Amino acid sequence: MNENLLKIAEKLISTGSLSTTEYEFLIDNRNTEIAEILKNEAVKKRKEVYGNTVFIRGLIEISNICKNDCLYCGIRASNKSCDRYRLTKEEILSCCDEGYSLGFRTFVMQGGEDLHFTDEILVDIVKSIKEKYPDCAVTLSLGERSRESYQKLYDAGADRYLLRHETADEEHYSKLHPNKMSYKTRMECLKNLKEIGYQTGCGFMVGSPYQTTENLAKDLKFIEEFSPEMCGIGPFIPHVATEFRDFSSGDVELTCYLLSIIRLIKPTILLPATTALGTAEQGGREKGILCGANVIMPNLSPHSVRKKYELYNNKLISGNESAQEIENLKNSMKNIGYEIVTDRGDIKEN
Ligand code: SAH
């Protein structure tokens, strides 16, 4: 075993902090032995905070209409072959009804940047969910909005906001997004969300086009410094109707390795084993949990629209991905020694 590698791993385990160069070294020189060490330590830390519990979130994909044109994304504005839809308030509330009876206590409303969803419309929906289900958390994942808008939604009762930073390197950011979008705006949004008081989630794709190890190291350093309550990472998977169609998918092992590292950076973090991880490899989500993840977000969208929210090729929409299959998911977690709980699943700050 490379002595330097071990030393860096030990530093991460004991302090939760490394320099960008050290993160880079840890990624570039990884081997199965060091991955096993980090995984065991990550699981140990997650168990100290969360025991063997796994939190679930009901994911409601409220619209695939989007004004943005992110180069990697299947629902980007310029994808003319995307069959667009938007859920009504009634449809969203009935997803919550079904979710509640299945044991979900967090609802995540995710969607493209659909201009139909004004502050007024969203405030009304958030308030309605919170009135009906005051014991539930509402998470929003609706992209970039103004600080005022984030504030209004927070005041209406939204608890959490997911906005992946996508990459913590400005130049890399510009290769993944159209000129209209900027790294600075994305970072500004994240800062605003946190200042307002949301439990805030950032995150990135593993193996996105043009990504270097240095980029990933910067992502880790950013997570360390921003200290988000949540972090979503999953492998990049190409979508046939985007210009990134010929790039290969991100690596499952590397994604799991990074999950362990993120758990070690911030032991209390809410860390999902994502749909993309489950899509990239059968059993991928279980692998993620075994490497330190503690959240799963099954799909609670109406069956009729699931296929249409296609961010990447072959996105899982059935099997354990489906909220309705929660019993199967519970069993598959039980088989690996974990337990799905009925709980809002807030971060346990210590
Ligand atoms: N409009 C919202 C939701 C975007 S979809 C927002 O901007 O936050 C949620 C996440 O899916 C994105 O942040 C991105 O990281 C991920 N994603 C999009 N396309 C993907 C692809 N081709 N492969 C893997 N993940 C992808």
Side-chain angles (χ1 to χ4, degrees):
M1 166 79 80
N2 180 329
E3 236 174 76
N4 220 353
L5 188 64
L6 197 58
K7 241 176 42 208
I8 291 175
E10 278 165 1
K11 181 175 170 196
L12 174 67
I13 292 162
S14 59
T15 67
S17 170
L18 295 177
S19 68
T20 308
T21 329
E22 289 169 327
Y23 283 124
E24 210 176 325
F25 190 88
L26 198 59
I27 298 168
D28 268 337
N29 296 279
R30 69 186 185 279
N31 56 41
T32 49
E33 211 177 329
I34 204 77
E36 193 65 21
I37 293 174
L38 294 181
K39 169 180 159 173
N40 290 338
E41 291 298 325
V43 166
K44 202 166 117 194
K45 291 222 155 88
R46 80 84 90 194
K47 288 199 170 168
E48 281 166 20
V49 185
Y50 295 105
N52 68 344
T53 58
V54 173
F55 296 140
I56 48 168
R57 323 293 194 198
L59 182 63
I60 307 169
E61 295 155 336
I62 66 170
S63 171
N64 69 355
I65 298 170
C66 193
K67 71 173 168 64
N68 276 342
D69 213 21
C70 306
L71 275 68
Y72 44 83
C73 185
I75 64 168
R76 66 200 299 252
S78 66
N79 178 7
K80 298 285 176 275
S81 60
C82 177
D83 184 4
R84 307 283 169 174
Y85 74 90
R86 169 187 297 140
L87 300 185
T88 63
K89 176 184 173 187
E90 289 65 37
E91 286 172 317
I92 295 169
L93 283 169
S94 89
C95 292
C96 297
D97 295 340
E98 188 178 11
Y100 193 87
S101 59
L102 289 167
F104 289 89
R105 294 296 178 270
T106 288
F107 302 116
V108 181
M109 285 198 272
Q110 187 179 87
E113 294 196 17
D114 179 349
L115 295 172
H116 163 82
F117 285 105
T118 57
D119 294 344
E120 199 187 343
I121 290 177
L122 284 173
V123 161
D124 175 52
I125 296 173
V126 171
K127 277 190 176 160
S128 303
I129 298 176
K130 296 291 282 195
E131 260 162 39
K132 201 162 181 194
Y133 298 113
D135 55 336
C136 290
V138 168
T139 303
L140 301 176
S141 179
L142 300 168
E144 297 177 353
R145 305 178 73 91
S146 67
R147 181 171 181 129
E148 294 68 40
S149 171
Y150 287 149
Q151 183 71 56
K152 281 185 193 159
L153 297 169
Y154 184 78
D155 295 341
D159 302 272
R160 311 188 187 123
Y161 205 104
L162 301 172
L163 180 69
R164 290 190 177 182
H165 64 286
E166 311 296 358
T167 169
D169 181 288
E170 186 158 12
E171 199 187 320
H172 186 218
Y173 191 93
S174 71
K175 291 180 181 162
L176 300 178
H177 299 94
N179 289 337
K180 260 198 270 179
M181 292 176 72
S182 88
Y183 173 78
K184 289 198 174 69
T185 307
R186 180 64 47 131
M187 289 297 167
E188 186 66 26
C189 285
L190 282 165
K191 188 172 133 265
N192 287 338
L193 289 164
K194 204 146 204 247
E195 282 175 6
I196 289 168
Y198 282 99
Q199 293 180 42
T200 305
C202 64
F204 58 93
M205 293 173 285
V206 179
S208 59
Y210 314 112
Q211 185 178 65
T212 62
T213 309
E214 192 196 348
N215 296 154
L216 286 172
K218 284 187 174 176
D219 287 322
L220 295 172
K221 196 65 193 169
F222 171 69
I223 291 165
E224 194 190 303
E225 290 170 350
F226 184 64
S227 192
E229 283 74 25
M230 310 170 282
C231 180
I233 72 163
F236 161 77
I237 302 173
H239 186 284
V240 64
T242 66
E243 57 221 75
F244 287 163
R245 67 180 69 85
D246 295 326
F247 282 87
S248 40
S249 290
D251 188 78
V252 168
E253 297 316 321
L254 177 56
T255 305
C256 290
Y257 188 67
L258 294 168
L259 284 171
S260 299
I261 293 176
I262 294 168
R263 172 65 61 200
L264 290 167
I265 292 174
K266 179 156 177 160
T268 57
I269 202 165
L270 296 164
L271 194 60
T274 54
T275 306
L277 189 57
T279 300
E281 186 176 297
Q282 207 186 354
R285 258 177 330 198
E286 286 78 0
K287 253 190 197 169
I289 296 290
L290 289 168
C291 287
N294 69 328
V295 173
I296 293 188
M297 303 168 67
N299 195 320
L300 199 52
S301 309
H303 286 276
S304 58
V305 305
R306 283 191 195 174
K307 189 75 204 118
K308 298 180 188 169
Y309 197 80
E310 198 185 41
L311 303 176
Y312 43 82
N313 292 338
N314 307 317
K315 179 169 156 264
L316 285 186
I317 51 168
S318 57
N320 283 355
E321 197 48 47
S322 171
Q324 286 73 15
E325 303 294 325
I326 190 76
E327 286 308 316
N328 289 332
L329 185 64
K330 281 183 182 165
N331 282 330
S332 78
M333 286 299 124
K334 212 166 160 187
N335 288 337
I336 58 166
Y338 288 86
E339 188 198 358
I340 287 184
V341 289
T342 298
D343 193 299
R344 272 174 54 116
D346 289 300
I347 188 166
K348 290 199 169 62
E349 303 275 19
N350 39 15

